[in-house]
Amino acid sequence: MTTFNFSDTIRSWYEIHKRDLPWRDTRDPYPIWLSEIILQQTRVNQGLPYFERFIEAFPTVQNLAAASQEEVLKLWQGLGYYSRARNLHTAAQQIADRRGIFPDNFKGLLDLKGVGSYTAAAIASFAYDEPVAVVDGNVYRVLSRYYGIDDPINETMGIKKFQKLANEVLDPKHAAQHNQAIMEFGALQCVPSSPDCKVCPLINTCKAYQTGQVDQLPVKIKKTKVLNLHHHYLVAITPSGRTILVQRPQTGIWAGLYEFPFIESNGAMLPQEITGHDVFKDVFGRLRFRESIYNQQPILHKLSHRKIHAYFWIIEVDEELDDAVTVNEMLKKPVHVLMERFIKAYWKLKK
DNA sequence: AAGCCGGGGTT
DNA sequence: AACCCAGGCTT
């Protein structure tokens, strides 16, 4: 007679249903670490091409450490949460300082920039089979439903409770497989909305299923409110076709990325309000120019906590500007997606 | 403890 | 429009 075992069940399920992902067939901490940073708050399908590009560009952690931050940010362009890229680069240099040797345990891994409790547990278990449980969004969902726990997953008490429970259900003899399995189970079977419980191997012992609470769990409180912003980008075009880019400050949104100079406002602006603005004068001085609006209707760019209403103004000037860059130089700079989309449309670039 | 930090896919 | 995603850092 055998007793029902949570870890055995999800690991058996995993061996049948697991996806074939390039960072799963290795114990090398470098690709494991790289994949985990890329996948933070990012879906597998979105992160996958970035993983391939990074491995191609930087086959070893030393290659990554030796790159410039701008090179790393450019490769990261479009993925979001750009502090991950800066931390990734810093951590690569930390590792290079150790002759390329990663810390070999959970505690040591936590010293790497950008590596928190989840990522340290993931690397420690996947690379070294250290019995430390990962707790990500998938794990919160699976455990909260299976055990019927309604503590909010974004409050200190709930976080501690789930971390403790996750370690209790972890089979220490199968740490790597167990951690992979519970996350894959959450990603493919115990999905956020309308999971197909009929085919779930845990259906007979799932608390949420028994009590009809599947769609109420996990509990997460507080919602981020969205702030509306209006950006009027000044797209300089010099006689030779060059333009002006400025780098954003090293803190805040899109830190360190490049964009056209812009005027912030509370809504639409008239041409004379643009050309009379201090920012405009700072960029173009007393040069002669011809201005035109590129998009009459604002382009909406939605982030998790902001909605940006973007207007692009084409400012053709009749003299060269000292700090202008060519289009090819511009394309080497890391930019956010709003910029990337405009650049591709305006200069009619392929891809 | 709470807020900040992107972009894309689903519902 | 709201929610979610192989979260971590800062204040």
Side-chain angles (χ1 to χ4, degrees):
Chain A
M1 199 58 203
T2 60
T3 58
F4 185 83
N5 181 284
F6 178 86
S7 183
D8 287 348
T9 305
I10 60 166
R11 284 186 290 107
S12 296
W13 175 94
Y14 175 68
E15 290 307 320
I16 296 170
H17 296 93
K18 65 180 176 185
R19 292 167 290 184
D20 185 17
L21 300 173
W23 47 83
R24 276 186 175 158
D25 55 3
T26 179
R27 294 268 175 177
D28 181 350
Y30 174 57
I32 292 172
W33 162 70
L34 176 61
S35 70
E36 292 303 337
I37 302 300
I38 287 174
L39 293 175
Q40 286 169 4
Q41 292 292 286
T42 303
R43 293 178 191 275
V44 166
N45 286 338
Q46 188 185 1
L48 190 48
Y50 285 84
F51 176 82
E52 306 284 12
R53 271 179 257 160
F54 267 86
I55 289 294
E56 168 82 19
F58 310 117
T60 70
V61 67
Q62 287 92 342
N63 297 145
L64 178 55
S68 68
Q69 186 190 77
E70 196 157 297
E71 210 176 333
V72 176
L73 278 172
K74 184 65 187 176
L75 209 51
W76 197 272
Q77 178 175 314
L79 195 54
Y81 284 149
Y82 297 92
S83 65
R84 288 184 293 170
R86 294 191 299 276
N87 290 338
L88 182 82
H89 190 222
T90 301
Q93 294 172 337
Q94 289 178 273
I95 296 157
D97 288 343
R98 304 163 43 100
R99 295 207 237 93
I101 310 297
F102 276 73
D104 66 355
N105 61 74
F106 175 81
K107 251 181 95 75
L109 288 162
L110 282 175
D111 291 333
L112 298 174
K113 279 285 180 293
V115 174
S117 58
Y118 162 76
T119 305
I123 302 170
S125 61
F126 299 158
Y128 314 126
D129 251 319
E130 184 175 343
V132 283
V134 294
V135 181
D136 73 334
N138 294 304
V139 175
Y140 281 124
R141 188 167 55 255
V142 172
L143 293 181
S144 67
R145 286 173 175 173
Y146 186 72
Y147 291 99
I149 300 170
D150 59 4
D151 299 57
I153 63 172
N154 52 355
E155 286 191 341
T156 305
M157 290 305 296
I159 292 169
K160 287 179 60 177
K161 192 167 183 172
F162 282 103
Q163 185 72 58
K164 181 169 182 291
L165 177 58
N167 277 296
E168 286 168 1
V169 300
L170 170 73
D171 184 337
K173 297 189 301 299
H174 305 279
Q177 188 191 31
H178 173 96
N179 279 338
Q180 294 277 14
I182 191 168
M183 288 194 288
E184 191 79 333
F185 185 78
L188 300 182
Q189 170 62 41
C190 195
V191 294
S193 177
S194 308
D196 188 5
C197 296
K198 299 188 310 297
V199 300
C200 179
L202 296 172
I203 187 169
N204 292 320
T205 46
C206 177
K207 192 71 174 178
Y209 184 79
Q210 292 166 359
T211 59
Q213 304 273 287
V214 171
D215 286 328
Q216 332 287 329
L217 296 173
V219 173
K220 190 175 184 178
I221 57 174
K222 304 164 197 145
K223 29 193 159 279
T224 58
K225 65 176 198 294
V226 177
L227 180 65
N228 281 288
L229 296 177
H230 301 263
H231 287 185
H232 296 263
Y233 285 102
L234 306 178
V235 186
I237 305 292
T238 73
S240 66
R242 298 192 300 162
T243 191
I244 299 283
L245 280 185
V246 295
Q247 188 174 25
R248 291 185 62 92
Q250 292 298 326
T251 59
I253 190 169
W254 293 326
L257 301 191
Y258 290 81
E259 61 188 358
F260 306 122
F262 71 93
I263 296 166
E264 194 168 343
S265 74
N266 292 320
M269 290 178 78
L270 298 171
Q272 57 266 35
E273 293 175 315
I274 293 292
T275 59
H277 197 280
D278 285 344
V279 170
F280 187 96
K281 293 174 179 169
D282 286 345
V283 177
F284 298 106
R286 303 191 297 110
L287 287 185
R288 296 164 60 85
F289 61 85
R290 194 159 55 82
E291 88 285 352
S292 61
I293 180 75
Y294 172 79
N295 56 310
Q296 204 71 39
Q297 289 302 116
I299 294 169
L300 298 184
H301 189 74
K302 295 163 75 173
L303 307 178
S304 48
H305 57 307
R306 308 233 171 135
K307 184 155 88 175
I308 297 174
H309 304 244
Y311 300 84
F312 291 88
W313 296 81
I314 310 302
I315 315 296
E316 296 178 83
V317 295
D318 64 349
E319 292 176 38
E320 290 301 319
L321 291 156
D322 290 338
D323 46 355
V325 295
T326 66
V327 172
N328 279 335
E329 288 165 344
M330 173 181 70
L331 293 176
K332 292 178 188 159
K333 300 293 189 184
V335 298
H336 48 75
V337 167
L338 175 57
M339 280 289 294
E340 184 179 11
R341 288 184 177 149
F342 172 82
I343 289 169
K344 283 179 176 162
Y346 183 76
W347 277 277
K348 300 181 179 9
L349 303 173
K350 323 189 195 310
K351 160 63 193 344

